[in-house]
């Protein structure tokens, strides 16, 4: 995925991940703003990676549900964006997450929530 939608992963903390992404013209829609699918994928990626920081060996965490709210459009010239994912709650079977896309000044462009299922690998 990082080859298709490039990002830089900053050093993760348990329960928190931050990505740096630069919008590209190839991700624009007909209104010349960045397509919502790119925005949702970036949020889903950051939140899923944050969930993975809480896993024990042998656990997997596929996304169960993800939603996004678009606050303002992202354009190619919006510059480097920060995509932040963090764990709100980590139970035995479900991880609840929140995510944000901000510009370098902290302005909010999109935010979302996600839940991931916690599964054990079959031995």
């Amino acid at each position: 995925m990082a080859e298709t939608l490039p990002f830089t992963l900053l050093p993760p903390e348990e329960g928190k991940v931050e990505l740096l992404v630069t919008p590209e013209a190839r991700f624009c829609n007909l209104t010349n703003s960045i397509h919502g699918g790119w925005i949702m994928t970036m949020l889903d990626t950051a939140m899923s990676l944050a969930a993975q920081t809480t896993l024990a060996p042998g656990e997997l965490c596929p996304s169960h549900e993800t939603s996004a709210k678009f606050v303002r459009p992202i354009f190619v010239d919006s510059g480097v964006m920060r995509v932040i994912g963090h764990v709100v709650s980590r139970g035995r079977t479900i991880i609840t997450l929140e995510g944000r896309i901000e510009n370098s000044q902290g302005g909010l462009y999109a935010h979302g929530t996600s839940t991931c299922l916690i599964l054990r690998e079959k031995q």
Side-chain angles (χ1 to χ4, degrees):
M1 183 58 76
E3 291 177 16
T4 303
L5 302 172
F7 59 83
T8 300
L9 174 63
L10 298 180
E13 302 171 21
E14 184 172 349
K16 185 176 180 186
V17 165
E18 186 172 334
L19 312 175
L20 298 179
V21 298
T22 302
E24 300 177 14
R26 64 186 172 131
F27 303 125
C28 284
N29 58 29
L30 296 175
T31 65
N32 213 27
S33 62
I34 299 299
H35 191 278
W38 181 90
I39 294 167
M40 289 188 72
T41 300
M42 291 293 102
L43 285 168
D44 182 61
T45 299
M47 290 186 285
S48 295
L49 288 171
Q52 289 179 34
T53 68
T54 71
L55 298 181
E59 290 182 329
L60 308 169
C61 63
S63 295
H64 176 254
E65 171 275 334
T66 300
S67 68
K69 304 294 184 214
F70 307 104
V71 176
R72 60 175 57 99
I74 299 173
F75 296 100
V76 172
D77 63 357
S78 293
V80 176
M81 309 295 282
R82 296 177 344 132
V83 187
I84 304 152
H86 78 275
V87 173
V88 174
S89 173
R90 204 287 194 187
R92 191 175 54 79
T93 58
I94 298 281
I95 303 171
T96 304
L97 305 122
E98 291 179 340
R100 299 172 61 86
I101 299 180
E102 302 174 347
N103 65 11
S104 59
Q105 293 80 39
L108 181 65
Y109 283 73
H111 60 98
T113 58
S114 184
T115 54
C116 291
L117 302 174
I118 300 170
L119 305 175
R120 275 74 182 169
E121 290 181 340
K122 294 182 180 180
Q123 303 299 325

